[in-house]
Amino acid sequence: MVRKQKPIILETIWQGGAILLVAAAIGLMVNQMRPDPLPLVGVWSPEARVKLELGESIVISLEGSLEFFFNKKPVFVDARSPELYERGHIEGALNLPWDDFEKLFREVLKGISNDAVLVTYCDGEGCGQSHELALALFKEGYKNVRVLVGGLRLWQEAQLPVAKGTFTQSLGK
């Protein structure tokens, strides 16, 4: 006996849906049994991710960073690689690559007070290096660290001052 094509397709779709529902139910149960269950709903915007352990946001807006920039108060710290820094960075920014933080941070921030306003940035909203750098600076005792979400891309879109130069220039050499 030969089956008709239509019932086989419907049966396959029904079985696939049933398998998907069973897998989702098992996944939810396993998640709830974990000692640290993953949140099922959350805010995943870059601004929401850039927080201290106590939940305090450390994001600074472009307008807020401009206010500091024109008053010469903050120290902008570029978390990107020296190669990217050399191609263009916020005017006056220091380069402290996140990948070399342990090796370079004392030298790069030598002479900068723990009370100074530090604004970390990297390339854009998807770049997390500026957030990681900011948290590391907090752990090293810097009290006024902020993250410019959107980083250099946001700065350039607003047609703000950008400079080119070598990594050693940011070290004052």
Side-chain angles (χ1 to χ4, degrees):
M1 182 163 110
V2 177
R3 285 186 175 194
K4 292 184 180 178
Q5 188 70 16
K6 191 172 183 182
I8 291 175
I9 292 173
L10 290 176
E11 185 176 325
T12 304
I13 292 172
W14 181 87
Q15 288 175 348
I19 290 170
L20 184 63
L21 285 173
V22 169
I26 291 170
L28 288 171
M29 287 187 316
V30 168
N31 185 48
Q32 291 306 310
M33 290 190 295
R34 288 175 49 138
D36 58 338
L38 300 172
L40 298 178
V41 179
V43 180
W44 303 108
S45 70
E47 291 83 3
R49 292 187 312 232
V50 183
K51 291 186 176 187
L52 297 175
E53 290 176 5
L54 299 175
E56 177 189 348
S57 176
I58 57 173
V59 170
I60 188 168
S61 67
L62 179 63
E63 293 77 20
S65 63
L66 278 176
E67 189 176 313
F68 282 130
F69 179 80
F70 289 116
N71 290 328
K72 305 284 185 207
K73 288 198 178 178
V75 176
F76 283 89
V77 184
D78 191 324
R80 301 172 306 143
S81 70
E83 296 79 25
L84 291 174
Y85 174 85
E86 289 173 10
R87 287 188 214 150
H89 53 270
I90 293 175
E91 189 176 283
L94 299 176
N95 184 220
L96 179 52
W98 168 240
D99 293 337
D100 295 325
F101 177 79
E102 291 295 325
K103 184 171 73 175
L104 296 175
F105 103 91
R106 289 194 199 313
E107 184 179 359
V108 172
L109 297 178
K110 182 172 43 173
I112 296 177
S113 164
N114 285 7
D115 294 326
V117 177
L118 302 177
V119 177
T120 64
Y121 71 93
C122 51
D123 223 0
E125 282 188 22
C127 178
Q129 294 175 336
S130 56
H131 177 233
E132 296 298 328
L133 179 60
L135 293 177
L137 291 170
F138 270 109
K139 287 179 183 172
E140 292 297 332
Y142 290 90
K143 300 174 184 124
N144 297 312
V145 184
R146 299 290 175 254
V147 177
L148 177 60
V149 175
L152 184 63
R153 187 170 300 144
L154 179 68
W155 192 266
Q156 288 173 320
E157 287 172 0
Q159 299 179 344
L160 295 166
V162 176
K164 293 183 180 188
T166 62
F167 173 61
T168 54
Q169 287 174 331
S170 76
L171 296 175
K173 295 180 181 177

